[in-house]
Amino acid sequence: VSFPWQKREISNFDYLMYLNTLAGRSYNDYMQYPVFPWVLADYHSKTLNLTNPHTFRDLSKPMGAQTIERKRKFIQRYNEVEKNLSAQCHYCTHYSSAIIVASYLVRLEPFTQTFCSLQGGSFDVADRMFHSVKSTWESASRDNMSDVRELIPEFYYLPEFLTNANHFELGCMQDGTVLGDVQLPPWADGDPHKFILLHREALESDYVSAHLHHWIDLIFGHKQHGSAAVEAVNTYHPYFYGDKMDLNNIKDPLIKSTILGFISNFGQIPKQV
């Protein structure tokens, strides 16, 4: 049986929204917000070439395994189970959480207020704020061992979240850069509308259409947990697997509230579909 998505009768965007909904994720819950993939790896070229496979991220691997070096470090962490880790996993942080969602959308209300309340009442240190698509990709795919974040749907349709139209004072980075609009890749020519247009084109491209099922397996499918997840370097702290933990059987209220706090702060694996 071939499905409408396989026949390209519905867009990749619509199919991903459908899967997110099936998995219990929605715009109504920052802790279970729809999760979308990074699809590009090119944030430096003057023009975007959607016919070149090297333009794209490897959709068969989670963000923690995008480079050989990083993948090796996470496998090492899994094998060592450092003494301060209570469980064997590759990642102690998640690809989607309330703070990740709010940090992406911090230039728009009501997310500005949400972000500040999650941060204890103010904006974060400027260097840690979302300010550049390229540097966020580099952090999540290569540089930062505690950053494996994916994207949110807005990256594919909402140019407004990339501009600081409300003129919030987001601070000044250590190199003197004052935070304002999000810095875009050269191929977007400084235009948020062009960025969204090309980014959406990339999502619907032949390359992504041919490889997206691999990413879906990692996030929503059989590589989400168990031996297939271990093999795919795709295991997270047990607390992230909310639906796999029977909280009703945990009698100690302190442990129970710790787990719930952990899930609400750090993210939750979608229901398997």
Side-chain angles (χ1 to χ4, degrees):
V1 182
S2 71
F3 299 100
W5 176 62
Q6 289 170 318
K7 293 190 214 157
R8 308 282 288 267
E9 286 170 9
I10 61 170
S11 66
N12 291 337
F13 182 91
D14 287 342
Y15 188 58
L16 287 169
M17 280 307 296
Y18 173 68
L19 289 173
N20 271 286
T21 306
L22 275 185
R25 300 184 82 87
S26 85
Y27 288 119
N28 302 327
D29 184 352
Y30 292 166
M31 292 181 283
Q32 294 194 79
Y33 207 77
V35 57
F36 267 58
W38 289 94
V39 296
L40 293 172
D42 180 354
Y43 298 97
H44 52 269
S45 298
K46 278 265 189 272
T47 55
L48 194 60
N49 180 359
L50 296 180
T51 61
N52 180 357
H54 296 294
T55 299
F56 298 92
R57 163 253 179 109
D58 186 342
L59 287 157
S60 70
K61 295 186 174 75
M63 289 303 290
Q66 290 295 309
T67 70
I68 294 166
E69 175 63 12
R70 188 163 144 105
K71 180 181 177 181
R72 188 183 60 74
K73 285 182 185 166
F74 281 122
I75 291 171
Q76 192 178 346
R77 174 193 280 178
Y78 181 88
N79 291 335
E80 281 172 3
V81 193
E82 296 156 24
K83 290 174 185 64
N84 60 345
L85 292 178
S86 57
Q88 192 173 34
C89 60
H90 294 109
Y91 314 116
C92 298
T93 53
H94 200 260
Y95 49 76
S96 174
S97 66
I99 194 71
I100 290 170
V101 172
S103 70
Y104 281 145
L105 298 172
V106 69
R107 290 163 179 78
L108 290 180
E109 288 290 17
F111 301 98
T112 315
Q113 296 307 315
T114 304
F115 182 82
C116 288
S117 66
L118 288 169
Q119 280 293 336
S122 61
F123 291 121
D124 198 358
V125 178
D127 285 80
R128 287 202 301 256
M129 296 277 285
F130 171 52
H131 66 277
S132 151
V133 179
K134 179 174 182 274
S135 66
T136 302
W137 160 255
E138 287 170 353
S139 169
S141 67
R142 189 186 72 202
D143 297 340
N144 185 345
M145 288 293 283
S146 59
D147 182 4
V148 291
R149 78 191 110 159
E150 292 278 7
L151 298 183
I152 53 175
E154 284 80 354
F155 273 84
Y156 296 99
Y157 70 83
L158 191 73
E160 286 77 12
F161 87 97
L162 298 163
T163 59
N164 187 20
N166 293 319
H167 306 293
F168 292 119
E169 291 186 18
L170 301 169
C172 183
M173 291 167 67
Q174 283 179 334
D175 65 4
T177 307
V178 177
L179 258 56
D181 297 346
V182 175
Q183 292 168 14
L184 301 174
W187 46 258
D189 297 327
D191 179 354
H193 289 84
K194 185 171 181 181
F195 171 81
I196 295 290
L197 183 75
L198 289 173
H199 204 215
R200 182 65 172 266
E201 223 173 276
L203 178 66
E204 304 300 342
S205 67
D206 289 344
Y207 180 90
V208 172
S209 298
H211 296 86
L212 188 57
H213 63 284
H214 295 304
W215 184 84
I216 290 167
D217 286 343
L218 293 168
I219 306 297
F220 302 107
H222 74 287
K223 291 184 181 173
Q224 197 190 66
H225 58 85
S227 58
V230 176
E231 209 174 306
V233 194
N234 192 42
T235 66
Y236 297 82
H237 193 287
Y239 288 177
F240 292 139
Y241 298 86
D243 62 335
K244 297 276 177 289
M245 301 198 69
D246 191 354
L247 292 173
N248 298 324
N249 283 340
I250 296 170
K251 299 289 178 263
D252 186 327
L254 186 63
I255 293 175
K256 194 182 232 178
S257 70
T258 302
I259 293 171
L260 288 169
F262 195 95
I263 291 167
S264 65
N265 283 318
F266 299 111
Q268 202 169 341
I269 302 286
K271 287 195 189 84
Q272 201 171 11
V273 295

